[in-house]
PDB file of all heavy atoms in Angstrom:
ATOM      1  N   GLY A 324     -77.148  18.925 180.709  1.00 40.00           N
ATOM      2  CA  GLY A 324     -78.413  18.838 181.400  1.00 40.00           C
ATOM      3  C   GLY A 324     -79.635  19.081 180.535  1.00 40.00           C
ATOM      4  O   GLY A 324     -80.745  18.938 181.000  1.00 40.00           O
ATOM      5  N   LEU A 325     -79.463  19.471 179.247  1.00 48.00           N
ATOM      6  CA  LEU A 325     -80.604  19.779 178.412  1.00 48.00           C
ATOM      7  C   LEU A 325     -81.312  18.520 177.954  1.00 48.00           C
ATOM      8  O   LEU A 325     -82.526  18.460 177.907  1.00 48.00           O
ATOM      9  CB  LEU A 325     -80.159  20.590 177.190  1.00 48.00           C
ATOM     10  CG  LEU A 325     -81.283  21.050 176.247  1.00 48.00           C
ATOM     11  CD1 LEU A 325     -82.243  21.957 176.968  1.00 48.00           C
ATOM     12  CD2 LEU A 325     -80.700  21.733 175.020  1.00 48.00           C
ATOM     13  N   ASP A 326     -80.567  17.476 177.558  1.00 67.00           N
ATOM     14  CA  ASP A 326     -81.189  16.281 177.018  1.00 67.00           C
ATOM     15  C   ASP A 326     -81.229  15.128 178.016  1.00 67.00           C
ATOM     16  O   ASP A 326     -81.657  14.042 177.677  1.00 67.00           O
ATOM     17  CB  ASP A 326     -80.462  15.826 175.754  1.00 67.00           C
ATOM     18  CG  ASP A 326     -78.983  15.565 175.987  1.00 67.00           C
ATOM     19  OD1 ASP A 326     -78.509  15.830 177.101  1.00 67.00           O
ATOM     20  OD2 ASP A 326     -78.306  15.094 175.054  1.00 67.00           O
ATOM     21  N   SER A 327     -80.794  15.336 179.238  1.00 77.00           N
ATOM     22  CA  SER A 327     -80.897  14.291 180.262  1.00 77.00           C
ATOM     23  C   SER A 327     -80.793  14.930 181.631  1.00 77.00           C
ATOM     24  O   SER A 327     -80.300  16.062 181.778  1.00 77.00           O
ATOM     25  CB  SER A 327     -79.802  13.240 180.083  1.00 77.00           C
ATOM     26  OG  SER A 327     -78.533  13.793 180.304  1.00 77.00           O
ATOM     27  N   LEU A 328     -81.232  14.181 182.634  1.00 84.00           N
ATOM     28  CA  LEU A 328     -81.139  14.654 184.007  1.00 84.00           C
ATOM     29  C   LEU A 328     -80.881  13.453 184.904  1.00 84.00           C
ATOM     30  O   LEU A 328     -81.606  12.457 184.848  1.00 84.00           O
ATOM     31  CB  LEU A 328     -82.435  15.340 184.429  1.00 84.00           C
ATOM     32  CG  LEU A 328     -82.520  15.779 185.913  1.00 84.00           C
ATOM     33  CD1 LEU A 328     -81.546  16.923 186.161  1.00 84.00           C
ATOM     34  CD2 LEU A 328     -83.939  16.180 186.266  1.00 84.00           C
ATOM     35  N   LYS A 329     -79.855  13.542 185.722  1.00 84.00           N
ATOM     36  CA  LYS A 329     -79.557  12.485 186.661  1.00 84.00           C
ATOM     37  C   LYS A 329     -80.055  12.892 188.035  1.00 84.00           C
ATOM     38  O   LYS A 329     -79.797  13.990 188.498  1.00 84.00           O
ATOM     39  CB  LYS A 329     -78.056  12.200 186.707  1.00 84.00           C
ATOM     40  CG  LYS A 329     -77.541  11.563 185.421  1.00 84.00           C
ATOM     41  CD  LYS A 329     -76.055  11.293 185.466  1.00 84.00           C
ATOM     42  CE  LYS A 329     -75.579  10.648 184.166  1.00 84.00           C
ATOM     43  NZ  LYS A 329     -74.113  10.412 184.167  1.00 84.00           N
ATOM     44  N   ILE A 330     -80.772  11.981 188.676  1.00 86.00           N
ATOM     45  CA  ILE A 330     -81.347  12.281 189.992  1.00 86.00           C
ATOM     46  C   ILE A 330     -80.936  11.212 190.985  1.00 86.00           C
ATOM     47  O   ILE A 330     -80.793  10.034 190.638  1.00 86.00           O
ATOM     48  CB  ILE A 330     -82.880  12.402 189.943  1.00 86.00           C
ATOM     49  CG1 ILE A 330     -83.505  11.119 189.341  1.00 86.00           C
ATOM     50  CG2 ILE A 330     -83.292  13.615 189.134  1.00 86.00           C
ATOM     51  CD1 ILE A 330     -85.017  11.150 189.314  1.00 86.00           C
ATOM     52  N   GLU A 331     -80.727  11.612 192.218  1.00 82.00           N
ATOM     53  CA  GLU A 331     -80.347  10.709 193.313  1.00 82.00           C
ATOM     54  C   GLU A 331     -81.605  10.250 194.018  1.00 82.00           C
ATOM     55  O   GLU A 331     -82.293  11.045 194.675  1.00 82.00           O
ATOM     56  CB  GLU A 331     -79.406  11.419 194.276  1.00 82.00           C
ATOM     57  CG  GLU A 331     -78.954  10.581 195.455  1.00 82.00           C
ATOM     58  CD  GLU A 331     -77.841   9.607 195.110  1.00 82.00           C
ATOM     59  OE1 GLU A 331     -77.032   9.948 194.227  1.00 82.00           O
ATOM     60  OE2 GLU A 331     -77.784   8.543 195.724  1.00 82.00           O
ATOM     61  N   ILE A 332     -81.917   8.971 193.873  1.00 83.00           N
ATOM     62  CA  ILE A 332     -83.112   8.418 194.518  1.00 83.00           C
ATOM     63  C   ILE A 332     -82.852   8.190 196.005  1.00 83.00           C
ATOM     64  O   ILE A 332     -83.684   8.494 196.854  1.00 83.00           O
ATOM     65  CB  ILE A 332     -83.525   7.098 193.833  1.00 83.00           C
ATOM     66  CG1 ILE A 332     -83.923   7.358 192.387  1.00 83.00           C
ATOM     67  CG2 ILE A 332     -84.661   6.436 194.602  1.00 83.00           C
ATOM     68  CD1 ILE A 332     -85.126   8.250 192.219  1.00 83.00           C
ATOM     69  N   GLY A 333     -81.674   7.623 196.311  1.00 73.00           N
ATOM     70  CA  GLY A 333     -81.307   7.383 197.689  1.00 73.00           C
ATOM     71  C   GLY A 333     -82.256   6.424 198.386  1.00 73.00           C
ATOM     72  O   GLY A 333     -82.789   5.498 197.787  1.00 73.00           O
ATOM     73  N   ASN A 334     -82.522   6.707 199.664  1.00 73.00           N
ATOM     74  CA  ASN A 334     -83.398   5.855 200.456  1.00 73.00           C
ATOM     75  C   ASN A 334     -84.652   6.569 200.933  1.00 73.00           C
ATOM     76  O   ASN A 334     -85.407   6.033 201.738  1.00 73.00           O
ATOM     77  CB  ASN A 334     -82.649   5.327 201.690  1.00 73.00           C
ATOM     78  CG  ASN A 334     -81.514   4.417 201.317  1.00 73.00           C
ATOM     79  OD1 ASN A 334     -81.671   3.535 200.498  1.00 73.00           O
ATOM     80  ND2 ASN A 334     -80.348   4.630 201.935  1.00 73.00           N
ATOM     81  N   GLY A 335     -84.868   7.804 200.440  1.00 76.00           N
ATOM     82  CA  GLY A 335     -85.990   8.578 200.935  1.00 76.00           C
ATOM     83  C   GLY A 335     -86.975   8.937 199.852  1.00 76.00           C
ATOM     84  O   GLY A 335     -87.443   8.096 199.098  1.00 76.00           O
ATOM     85  N   GLU A 336     -87.294  10.222 199.772  1.00 81.00           N
ATOM     86  CA  GLU A 336     -88.254  10.692 198.781  1.00 81.00           C
ATOM     87  C   GLU A 336     -87.741  11.990 198.177  1.00 81.00           C
ATOM     88  O   GLU A 336     -86.833  12.634 198.698  1.00 81.00           O
ATOM     89  CB  GLU A 336     -89.622  10.893 199.416  1.00 81.00           C
ATOM     90  CG  GLU A 336     -89.648  11.883 200.573  1.00 81.00           C
ATOM     91  CD  GLU A 336     -91.019  11.969 201.207  1.00 81.00           C
ATOM     92  OE1 GLU A 336     -91.852  12.753 200.707  1.00 81.00           O
ATOM     93  OE2 GLU A 336     -91.258  11.225 202.178  1.00 81.00           O
ATOM     94  N   GLY A 337     -88.338  12.376 197.039  1.00 84.00           N
ATOM     95  CA  GLY A 337     -87.914  13.604 196.397  1.00 84.00           C
ATOM     96  C   GLY A 337     -88.750  13.903 195.190  1.00 84.00           C
ATOM     97  O   GLY A 337     -89.718  13.201 194.875  1.00 84.00           O
ATOM     98  N   SER A 338     -88.361  14.969 194.487  1.00 85.00           N
ATOM     99  CA  SER A 338     -89.090  15.365 193.290  1.00 85.00           C
ATOM    100  C   SER A 338     -88.124  16.054 192.328  1.00 85.00           C
ATOM    101  O   SER A 338     -87.037  16.513 192.736  1.00 85.00           O
ATOM    102  CB  SER A 338     -90.245  16.323 193.637  1.00 85.00           C
ATOM    103  OG  SER A 338     -89.736  17.506 194.247  1.00 85.00           O
ATOM    104  N   ALA A 339     -88.497  16.093 191.063  1.00 85.00           N
ATOM    105  CA  ALA A 339     -87.662  16.746 190.054  1.00 85.00           C
ATOM    106  C   ALA A 339     -88.543  17.095 188.863  1.00 85.00           C
ATOM    107  O   ALA A 339     -89.648  16.568 188.699  1.00 85.00           O
ATOM    108  CB  ALA A 339     -86.526  15.807 189.617  1.00 85.00           C
TER     109      ALA A 339
END
Side-chain angles (χ1 to χ4, degrees):
L325 183 62
D326 58 355
S327 66
L328 175 68
K329 291 180 180 178
I330 56 177
E331 179 80 31
I332 297 296
N334 294 315
E336 59 184 274
S338 61

